[in-house]
Amino acid sequence: MAAHLKKRVYEEFTKVVQQQQEEIATKKLRLTKPSKSAALHIDLCKATSPADALQYLLQFARKPVEAESVEGVVRILLEHYYKENDPSVRLKIASLLGLLSKTAGFSPDCIMDDAINILQNEKSHQVLAQLLDTLLAIGTKLPENQAIQMRLVDVACKHLTDTSHGVRNKCLQLLGNLGSLEKSVTKDGEGLAVRDVQKIIGDYFSDQDPRVRTAAIKAMLQLHERGLKLHQTIYNQACKLLSDDYEQVRSAAVQLIWVVSQLYPESIVPIPSSNEEIRLVDDAFGKICHMVSDGSWVVRVQAAKLLGSMEQVSSHFLEQTLDKKLMSDLRRKRTAHERAKELYSSGEFSTGRKWGDDAPKEEIDTGAVNLIESGACGAFVHGLEDEMYEVRIAAVEALCMLAQSSPSFAEKCLDFLVDMFNDEIEEVRLQSIHTMRKISNNITLREDQLDTVLAVLEDSSRDIREALHELLCCTNVSTKEGIHLALVELLKNLTKYPTDRDSIWKCLKFLGSRHPTLVLPLVPELLSTHPFFDTAEPDMDDPAYIAVLVLIFNAAKTCPTMPALFSDHTFRHYAYLRDSLSHLVPALRLPGRKLVSSAVSPSIMPHEDPSHQFLQQSLERVYSLQHLDPQGTQELLELTIRDLQRLGELQSELAGVADFSATYLRCQLLLIKALQEKLWNVAAPLYLKQSDLASAAAKQIMEETYKMEFMYSGVENKQVVIIHHMRLQAKALQLIVTARTTRGVDPLFGMCEKFLQEVDFFQRCFIADLPHLQDSFVDKLLDLMPRLMTSKPVEVVKILQTMLRQSTFLHLPLPEQIHKASATIIEPAGESDNPLRFTSGLVVALDVDATLEHVQDPQSTVKVQVLYPDGQAQMIHPKPADFRNPGPGRHRLITQVYLSHTAWTEPCQVEVRLLLAYNSSSRIPKSPWIEGGEVSPQVETSIEGTIPFSKSVKVYIMPKPARR
Amino acid sequence: MPEIRVTPLGAGQDVGRSCILVSIAGKNVMLDCGMHMGFNDDRRFPDFSYITRSGRLTDFLDCVIISHFHLDHCGALPYFSEMVGYDGPIYMTHPTQAICPILLEDYRKIAVDKKGEANFFTSQMIKDCMKKVVAVHLHQTVQVDDELEIKAYYAGHVLGAAMFQIKVGSESVVYTGDYNMTPDRHLGAAWIDRCRPNLLITESTYATTIRDSKRCRERDFLKKVHEAVERGGKVLIPVFALGRAQELCILLETFWERMNLKAPIYFSTGLTEKANHYYKLFITWTNQKIRKTFVQRNMFEFKHIKAFDRAFADNPGPMVVFATPGMLHAGQSLQIFRKWAGNEKNMVIMPGYCVQGTVGHKILSGQRKLEMEGRQVLEVKMQVEYMSFSAHADAKGIMQLVGQVEPEGVLLVHGEAKKMEFLKQKIEQELRVSCYMPANGETVTLPTSPSIPVGISLGLLKREMAQGLLPDAKKPRLLHGTLIMKDSNFRLVSSEQALKELGLAEHQLRFTCRVHLHDPRKEQETALRVYSHLKRWAPRSFWLGLGRSGARGGSHCASRQRPQGPLRAAPSRWVRDCGVHPHPGCCPLRGPRHQGAAGVLDLPG
């Protein structure tokens, strides 16, 4: 029976997939079609009142209908439609028609005639609107059919004069989705049938109902989205709508203006009330800028967002957005920004001690002051000061985008961005810091600006501080005082928030390497060296001292004269730091230094190539030497694994590859070791104990393969095959070991069957890659598959055993970019001796703060695990909002974990660690087969599990019994 | 002629003593009732005798509206209502209602207890006065009587400050009170919808100023305080009890929070504590940030700011103290100032304007040696800083508001004449809106043309609408019908119905005229030519209809097109349609232009 079953399964699997699917579909159809429509028919006939009928329809709508039965259902619905007097039921039927015509695999052209027909006799405006909606659904379903489209457009045009706004809305929507510009006019020659949709829609820009006006603009935008080119004539119409009374109209009009400005940026438009002419994009820019001070914040957000994407605008206009032309009592006043700049250039700092320091200077000609500029004046100044933070964020984003495309604008907007660092809402502050980072290659910070920037370093929000560190990493500073200031502030930050240590060191590393010449004159002061006297040697473990050294060493890398200023102990510290913090301290060429220079510099300076070569070589060595005797192979594997691991530690950019290959080799090593066991030579019952090693190896290989599959980002299909192959081997090993150690055949049946299914699954999934697996375990296995299918478990095991031994070592091709997912828990630090006390049975919140590297989709995969001393484990899913994304490939998890337990007598430690959850079905290429439904998930297609990928941190907690 | 009359009793080309009389469509409204800071004699209150020479104020005024709680807008209220005598309703917003009596009481105390004035209003009078107050919500339309309605909008000047729209029928006036178009740390920006009033009465304190971004000011302020505290100095910030003080508190509080600072901040007790309580209560009147976060934490529940005690001033170490009054002329702030002035580590920050003669003004103008009472000379070594935090709209803000409201006319108050002049010119130039700036006691008369609603039957409207094909919303459209005026009720009906209602039979008038044609051609040919000519020129059937109404799109009844004056004086029963149907064939040479003229016959007076 079992054999028979196996055979059937096997045979079915080898069939062409297409056929199978059809078969299933037809089967279903026969089953469902009559029941569905018939039931509906009966129900509707039964219905005595409109309310009843509505209920039936609502119930019916909850269940999906198959493509084949749609037509029948539609007929029944239409039939009832004609009979029905109640508009609400007709409305529901109309909406159902629309829904049904969206069903995949159903061609709705057959119901179109009916729909249009009933449309003509319909009186209720609501039903009319719904019917038009249905037609829209039909029309969008049949985008190729020109005739239908034209017919629908005709219908829509006819109903445009309806008195109800809902009907007009839908008509316009229909026109927007289906209408065409005079494209077909040229084709037909006469073009009587085809209407110029844009003209028709444009007429409704002045409809009396704001909703219709909005719909008209939306329809126009829809035309644009469908790739039809709008005429420029529309621009003037749209401009008029900017002063509409209704916000949704204004908001849509802003979009339309933006679209036109992108279509015809260079055409010339006249300025009203003067003879001048300007480019359309400039004019549109001015108009949208004006909308930044609109009365409705929705419009303001919209306008501010769109400003960012208008890159063709001329710089003259762009710079006006930051200019507000201050005046006081009719005299021109300089902005605080200008004053700051002036003070800076005159070499004097602001005293601010005098009243009227900002006293206005020159008189203004009253005629020349224009209080409401038609142009772009001060748009961003307003946007950044807006009451709603949504507007402010939009304005900051827009600034960012514009500044990226225009360096001169970047320079100008700097002051404003710096000001945003003091916003009351953290999101806005963060956004502006990020923005600044993005445009940092275009700008150089002045000292006073740097001062303001650095003041934010004391912010209590960690996000802000770290964003700022990132910003400082890529900032250009103009003077050596600036560097000194930055260093001082960073050190202050370090003492205030010691947890920022790593981030600050990294920041100083880049600061140093970017400004070597500015650091140079500061060196004696920073190292507190004295030309004559030896100064005390600073404490090597002081994070602040390390920070200073990191700055100096990184600057010294490109500044060969600097090492001359170092004192003896500096060199010693260099050697120490180079080793302990190699990612922060670069290799230096230190002349005249025997110890450090000779050993390190020549070998490491051109480091990129050799290490990579080394990696390749050692791997090749392994792959070529597979025919060595087992002992030699093992030793070589062990050696290589060790080398790779060390390499990974030394060269961070190769860490992913090295680890990945090392893991693979370790699997191989385990497999070899397991097969070397004596267990295989001795009669089964005797070796219960030794088999532990083999089964443990099998288990470990499985674990490692999951790690390889899910912990590395950038793994390609090629690697996945190899990994699965390795896993298959492990499973085979497991099967053999169990076969050897268990008595009786019954459990083996199930296991064998399962294994064979897995092989089959493997084959199906990776059928394309099989040719690459020549001579491998699976290759041989598949050759013998028919035989295995029919043989008894004991034989299967025997065959497997020989095959495992004979199988060759597969070459693992290395992917281009591979990174290992890793996580570091920053908080809790696990050093505290004070237990966290709480009343047992209640909860205590533990702040967890961790950085995740190279984790794809952390929101769904990363979990927090808490292990209690009694072995109880708890898994916590952090909220998606707890993850931040500070940079590509990096994530930050800041969450709270709730702990609870019954009372303990002593404080004890719980372990907190991060887990990476995986689900194998997500990786495996899906075959349409499995979705077919008939195939039950008999193969374990999805294995869910978790991999711990961070070091666990111990937290001291103490649940106390509740006091009575 | 219907008109709106506006007479400022105070705040006309002046700051302080805001009090404006508005007569609109027969209703009299008084906007604000303030006192003047600069005077101590009769001039400090508006001259209420102007309103009515004899007779009670209550009979004359329909209502009084108070825009916000500052004394120059509400200081004369108890005097006005209790001593002069007014029993009508007084409208103000809820926060104003809550805080106003505190300030009035404080004002009374200073005037009576400190200065020893007699014949001043009493505490009981304040209480009685507040009993006449009707509180309104934002955007709530309050019906004062059958015709007069008022509506409050957010003004953002201080907590509870509001702009008011006063509306009678289709005529309306908007009074802004004091307002601020840029949001600050605790209040949002002023907002009003596009209500298109006949007149906008706006303040113009900063008519000639365009201000710098508030962020620079804030940053400077914080930086100075931070630096002073870091070097161990004490910072004194003299403030007025309400308004700016709360803003500065929030500013410092959030800064302390962000920067993890530990130095204590103190706030002098008394009046402010009560006021803070109201700030906590009226969260809906604050800005977005405070409104959104108050569930977690009310921003006015200060964590770092504690009540001040006299003894604290001598404590060692850095501290920040807010103390009243704001101009350093007396009281606690002056005491603290004297204690701290000698140390150059300390700092005093003046956040507002100081009147000449006060200590505040002296130190701001750079005086370093002050002569105190008793011939003492105080040497000022501490740093003196000036920061302007003011919550009035600047010139750009005023223009922005005018643009937002789209009034037919603007009237400037609450500002200096010279500055108003500039703004007036700008408004007239750029917005093309007439602008007025009356002085105190001067009346501005603004003619209005109120629209008169005319009822029209839906059937007629639809029938007439159906004649045009394309929607043409903004253009007036010609409608034909008969206007019936009956008991100050206007209706537009079809001519058939009008005849029916009046029980009249339809008469047909026929106009004929004789035309001599000198045509050499044959009769038949000539007739044909004339016929074809007519056909070309007068394709539509032309007939005369007299009721004329430019319907605005589909707006229900008639229109912004206002019938001319004489209609008002019309007798109660009137028909204006003769149902004239000239025979098309009878006036053959009438071109289309003539037809138009005939169709739109103006109503004879």
Side-chain angles (χ1 to χ4, degrees), chain A residues 765-811:
Chain A
C765 288
F766 303 110
I767 200 143
D769 297 289
L770 281 182
H772 303 298
L773 304 178
Q774 290 290 330
D775 261 1
S776 67
F777 172 68
V778 105
D779 194 33
K780 289 175 187 163
L781 199 63
L782 287 177
D783 284 344
L784 292 175
M785 204 56 181
R787 211 181 119 201
L788 286 174
M789 284 295 179
T790 49
S791 41
K792 283 187 186 137
V794 186
E795 283 169 50
V796 174
V797 170
K798 264 189 194 149
I799 298 172
L800 281 181
Q801 191 174 337
T802 44
M803 278 199 311
L804 258 188
R805 281 163 173 274
Q806 285 166 4
S807 65
T808 53
F809 187 17
L810 275 180
H811 188 288

Side-chain angles (χ1 to χ4, degrees), chain A residues 146-147 149-150 153 178-197 226 228:
Chain A
Q146 281 288 333
Q149 305 249 326
M150 255 149 67
V153 168
L178 303 173
S180 50
L181 304 184
E182 70 293 74
K183 198 168 60 187
S184 8
V185 174
T186 50
K187 205 161 55 185
D188 294 359
E190 276 302 284
L192 279 171
V194 182
R195 299 157 187 259
D196 181 6
V197 175
R226 283 170 52 222
L228 305 177

Side-chain angles (χ1 to χ4, degrees), chain A residues 832-849:
Chain A
S832 171
D833 287 333
N834 298 340
L836 207 57
R837 290 171 197 278
F838 61 100
T839 309
S840 67
L842 299 182
V843 285
V844 65
L846 181 68
D847 288 308
V848 172
D849 179 355

Side-chain angles (χ1 to χ4, degrees), chain A residues 328-447:
Chain A
S328 165
D329 289 351
L330 288 181
R331 275 175 293 175
R332 171 107 171 80
K333 214 167 91 178
R334 288 162 307 147
T335 62
H337 290 144
E338 284 170 329
R339 288 202 301 276
K341 203 168 181 174
E342 218 160 272
L343 281 171
Y344 170 74
S345 50
S346 68
E348 188 187 333
F349 282 98
S350 171
T351 56
R353 208 162 302 171
K354 235 169 40 199
W355 188 21
D357 188 22
D358 54 354
K361 297 279 151 63
E362 62 224 85
E363 288 270 350
I364 295 183
D365 171 21
T366 48
V369 183
N370 214 8
L371 287 179
I372 289 198
E373 287 86 347
S374 55
C377 263
F380 278 117
V381 181
H382 287 291
L384 293 175
E385 270 187 21
D386 201 274
E387 181 187 358
M388 312 300 279
Y389 81 95
E390 291 90 343
V391 182
R392 296 200 297 268
I393 287 196
V396 169
E397 273 165 7
L399 262 189
C400 170
M401 282 161 80
L402 289 172
Q404 273 173 326
S405 57
S406 156
S408 67
F409 183 69
E411 196 72 45
K412 286 226 163 65
C413 76
L414 207 57
D415 280 321
F416 294 90
L417 270 182
V418 170
D419 278 348
M420 293 307 284
F421 285 15
N422 280 323
D423 195 90
E424 54 198 347
I425 300 221
E426 184 174 323
E427 247 175 293
V428 182
R429 296 201 292 268
L430 205 56
Q431 182 69 40
S432 42
I433 295 175
H434 284 316
T435 299
M436 186 103 138
R437 194 190 70 222
K438 284 182 199 146
I439 61 170
S440 57
N441 44 356
N442 279 343
I443 51 170
T444 306
L445 282 182
R446 283 198 322 264
E447 214 166 297

Side-chain angles (χ1 to χ4, degrees), chain A residues 290-327:
Chain A
H290 190 66
M291 298 310 278
V292 173
S293 48
D294 190 84
S296 148
W297 70 272
V298 183
V299 181
R300 294 203 296 267
V301 172
Q302 178 78 266
K305 270 190 189 146
L306 290 177
L307 280 185
S309 46
M310 299 182 79
E311 281 158 15
Q312 298 105 314
V313 76
S314 37
S315 58
H316 161 65
F317 270 85
L318 200 54
E319 278 154 24
Q320 272 189 42
T321 56
L322 296 176
D323 182 17
K324 210 179 148 188
K325 289 208 176 65
L326 299 188
M327 63 173 188

